[in-house]
Amino acid sequence: MESNTDSKTNNLKVYSTLSRSKENFKSINKTKIKFFVCGPTVYNDAHIGHGRTYVSFDMIKRYLEYIGYSVVYMQNITDIDDKIINRAKEMAGEDENLSLLCSNLAKKYERRYKEDMESLNIKGVNLFMRATDHIDEIISQVQRLIDKGYAYATENGVYFEVNKFEEFAKLSNRNIEELEGHRLQTDSTKRDEKDFALWKLRTSSEYTGEPVWDSPWGKGRPGWHIEDTAITEEYFGEQYDIHGGGLDLIFPHHDAEIAQMEALSDKKPMVNYWFHTGFLNVNGEKMSKSLGNFITIRELLKEVSAETFRFFVLSTHYRSPIDFSKDSLHQAGKSLNKIKSYIAELDTILNNHFKDNDEIEERMDLLESSTYNVLNESSSSFFNAMDDDFNTPKAISSLFELINNSKNQLNELNLDDILAIKKFFIIVNDILGIFFLKDENTGDHEEELLDLIGDVRAKLRLEKQYELSDEIRSRLTDLGYEISD
Ligand code: AMP
């Protein structure tokens, strides 16, 4: 798909799973980007593996906005699926309406998912679209695929005929012949093992009260892959800019999406850039509900702040795996505290010179470009790293360069330099969302606690209890807080 010739200029390079290379980023429309990410299947609380994926896409959206795009970010909510039905069956009493139970279960976990995202400071999703609100669009796509000869109906459902779409599996780059043995769905009514369900018919022998919708082929429910393309076609059209998801979705989910949409539209590519996040692993294994090795976002946020989790996630490149351990999370918290105590020092200097925050902001707005080389070098390496396929670990290391090279000079710098450094950190935070976030979940009163500890140490020194005061300082230094007397 060609981009507009007057596409916005930028230095951003992005890695696309489809081309398996880094490309210069060009939007289809000059200033607007259509960005779709596969949302959750809502039958349980989200775990921190989900958190990893959605924090990464949140950072990507924030950066695209920072470089000047207006981004429409849409997620689907899979609120009808075998997993939801099975969970509802486990919970159902004898006379309970299974269909209602499924719907209530999905609503409950959708609400809790959105609360979890909010508590991770993920606020940029503009549109959440439920599968069950788009049954008409799904049926229309299935019918059009049948009409074009790409799909066929059997007594069990409607299937996409994979052999009819020559480029099937071009995203995962799998050899279609090798797929013969790969049981996508076992069903003797299919023409070929590889064919996947677009519509699953209710078979009377199986019927146990699960949710069904009327369709030209009989009562049933949608297959998983078709819900995304029905939703994206409705709101984004046949082609759009970016599609994201975790690595596990490349095959068969995203390959199936491409087959469905490109078969229908005869236009390629369906999306210009495919972004896939690496897994959050525990002891080398993907964190997942089925393996039972998961920690929910809610559980984690009782122990650490959302800022620490975000910093932990963004300290690794979004495409690389993260090995989760309490220890590595703790280390991330310590590193983040170093940045926060540096910012607190900037704030102390600024608060000593200006009447209030408004005055500080006014002065920041008037700043000309900075002449402080230490800042300029670090900020350009920060943005160069972000432009290089959102390389957040490299970007974060340039923050530490700035801190290490300037922390002993802060008292000698002029006020405009201090203001410029603070302004840079505000921009960094707009992109990464890792500081200044009051964590209501954990009842995190960090600033008040540090003030309180400061008062206690001052008293101890007055009483000449220097040893105890020094010990408190050294323990805080271990935790990453640099305390000056
Ligand atoms: P699900 O609800 O399981 O379909 O997952 C929603 C999103 O989270 C998908 O994009 C998955 O790829 C992603 N995801 C699930 N588990 C992990 C994990 N352990 N690490 C990173 N992403 C994950």
Side-chain angles (χ1 to χ4, degrees):
M1 175 180 11
E2 281 303 305
S3 295
N4 258 357
T5 42
D6 57 350
S7 211
K8 198 173 158 24
T9 51
N10 61 67
N11 298 319
L12 179 62
K13 278 191 180 342
V14 296
Y15 180 91
S16 176
T17 313
L18 188 62
S19 65
R20 282 166 272 278
S21 62
K22 278 189 199 164
E23 304 171 37
N24 292 323
F25 181 80
K26 286 196 189 116
S27 54
I28 298 169
N29 175 289
K30 192 175 176 205
T31 53
K32 262 203 197 120
I33 293 176
K34 292 173 181 170
F35 178 31
F36 178 75
V37 172
C38 287
T41 306
V42 278
Y43 68 105
N44 221 327
D45 277 333
H47 58 65
I48 59 174
H50 300 124
R52 188 271 157 106
T53 282
Y54 296 119
V55 164
S56 303
F57 286 121
D58 180 59
M59 169 278 294
I60 288 175
K61 188 207 179 192
R62 286 164 180 254
Y63 193 61
L64 292 170
E65 285 184 332
Y66 172 74
I67 60 175
Y69 289 104
S70 130
V71 184
V72 183
Y73 178 6
M74 178 162 71
Q75 273 184 21
N76 66 311
I77 300 282
T78 301
D79 62 344
I80 179 65
D81 182 83
D82 290 347
K83 289 177 192 149
I84 298 173
I85 297 169
N86 291 339
R87 177 91 204 274
K89 277 182 185 162
E90 284 162 23
M91 296 163 54
E94 257 189 23
D95 296 324
E96 248 177 306
N97 178 331
L98 187 62
S99 179
L100 187 64
L101 208 58
C102 284
S103 156
N104 288 343
L105 187 76
K107 281 202 189 99
K108 173 179 165 183
Y109 285 106
E110 177 187 325
R111 178 177 50 74
R112 288 172 70 88
Y113 166 73
K114 288 177 182 166
E115 285 168 5
D116 289 343
M117 293 303 110
E118 184 90 7
S119 54
L120 289 179
N121 202 13
I122 297 173
K123 297 179 178 145
V125 182
N126 308 99
L127 303 164
F128 284 106
M129 293 296 167
R130 293 186 196 110
T132 59
D133 289 337
H134 295 85
I135 299 293
D136 289 347
E137 290 79 0
I138 290 169
I139 290 175
S140 151
Q141 270 203 348
V142 178
Q143 186 60 60
R144 283 179 285 141
L145 283 168
I146 296 177
D147 296 344
K148 285 194 84 172
Y150 284 101
Y152 59 92
T154 77
E155 68 207 53
N156 286 348
V158 182
Y159 295 95
F160 187 93
E161 193 166 358
V162 166
N163 286 332
K164 290 264 168 79
F165 186 76
E166 270 183 18
E167 292 181 311
F168 190 75
K170 63 179 165 183
L171 186 67
S172 61
N173 203 20
R174 293 182 189 216
N175 180 341
I176 192 158
E177 300 313 320
E178 286 168 15
L179 297 177
E180 283 307 334
H182 188 105
R183 287 175 179 264
L184 295 174
Q185 267 144 17
T186 318
D187 175 349
S188 59
T189 68
K190 293 198 295 188
R191 290 183 189 162
D192 189 285
E193 232 177 31
K194 297 190 293 293
D195 298 349
F196 58 85
L198 299 171
W199 188 262
K200 297 177 177 181
L201 279 174
R202 175 185 89 185
T203 52
S204 51
S205 59
E206 272 173 17
Y207 185 56
T208 50
E210 54 202 53
V212 283
W213 288 264
D214 287 325
S215 81
W217 318 283
K219 284 186 192 300
R221 61 193 157 86
W224 176 34
H225 314 308
I226 196 84
E227 72 175 82
D228 292 36
T229 46
I231 287 170
T232 54
E233 186 189 21
E234 176 69 10
Y235 300 101
F236 284 177
E238 294 164 333
Q239 294 178 292
Y240 55 97
D241 298 284
I242 306 170
H243 189 317
L247 209 58
D248 51 336
L249 299 188
I250 298 177
F251 183 85
H253 188 47
H254 291 161
D255 269 321
E257 277 191 52
I258 292 177
Q260 290 163 176
M261 198 62 244
E262 292 186 4
L264 266 185
S265 69
D266 291 319
K267 290 180 191 157
K268 18 183 189 187
M270 165 187 147
V271 291
N272 268 350
Y273 306 100
W274 285 88
F275 294 171
H276 290 101
T277 50
F279 293 144
L280 182 136
N281 294 324
V282 188
N283 300 326
E285 273 189 313
K286 179 192 169 202
M287 178 174 281
S288 72
K289 285 171 191 165
S290 53
L291 288 176
N293 60 352
F294 65 91
I295 302 175
T296 64
I297 292 169
R298 276 159 203 258
E299 281 164 352
L300 189 88
L301 293 185
K302 284 184 193 146
E303 289 181 35
V304 299
S305 71
E307 295 165 303
T308 299
F309 180 67
R310 284 186 73 104
F311 186 79
F312 170 73
V313 166
L314 297 174
S315 297
T316 299
H317 190 272
Y318 80 91
R319 287 190 282 117
S320 302
I322 297 184
D323 245 318
F324 175 79
S325 70
K326 289 268 165 84
D327 194 44
S328 48
L329 192 64
H330 179 69
Q331 290 302 328
K334 276 171 74 170
S335 302
L336 180 61
N337 285 340
K338 279 193 187 137
I339 306 183
K340 282 161 80 177
S341 53
Y342 174 84
I343 295 174
E345 277 186 58
L346 298 177
D347 285 338
T348 308
I349 299 173
L350 294 175
N351 291 336
N352 283 341
H353 283 86
F354 296 103
K355 156 167 116 260
D356 54 23
N357 258 340
D358 288 346
E359 200 186 346
I360 295 175
E361 275 168 29
E362 271 166 35
R363 278 291 298 270
M364 265 181 201
D365 289 343
L366 297 175
L367 277 182
E368 306 272 319
S369 57
S370 171
T371 51
Y372 184 40
N373 279 340
V374 173
L375 170 63
N376 292 343
E377 277 166 25
S378 293
S379 81
S380 52
S381 48
F382 178 89
F383 292 111
N384 287 341
M386 291 303 295
D387 276 340
D388 183 14
D389 192 33
F390 314 101
N391 192 336
T392 51
K394 211 164 167 204
I396 287 172
S397 75
S398 66
L399 301 180
F400 285 104
E401 242 168 60
L402 168 61
I403 294 171
N404 293 335
N405 294 337
S406 66
K407 69 178 175 198
N408 296 329
Q409 303 170 358
L410 291 184
N411 288 323
E412 287 107 60
L413 291 180
N414 67 45
L415 265 189
D416 275 358
D417 292 337
I418 301 286
L419 282 164
I421 302 176
K422 180 68 198 279
K423 191 173 177 175
F424 170 61
F425 274 103
I426 292 174
I427 294 169
V428 167
N429 191 48
D430 285 345
I431 296 167
L432 305 181
I434 48 173
F435 334 111
F436 319 138
L437 168 71
K438 283 272 167 266
D439 194 342
E440 286 143 21
N441 293 323
T442 54
D444 202 352
H445 297 292
E446 199 168 69
E447 274 176 41
E448 288 96 322
L449 281 174
L450 285 175
D451 284 349
L452 187 69
I453 293 169
D455 292 348
V456 171
R457 288 189 64 244
K459 260 197 176 153
L460 288 173
R461 287 198 303 279
L462 272 179
E463 291 167 8
K464 300 201 177 351
Q465 299 202 48
Y466 299 114
E467 231 173 83
L468 190 52
S469 168
D470 286 349
E471 189 182 332
I472 295 175
R473 182 173 58 185
S474 105
R475 293 247 199 126
L476 284 170
T477 310
D478 279 351
L479 289 173
Y481 294 100
E482 285 189 28
I483 308 287
S484 49
D485 290 334

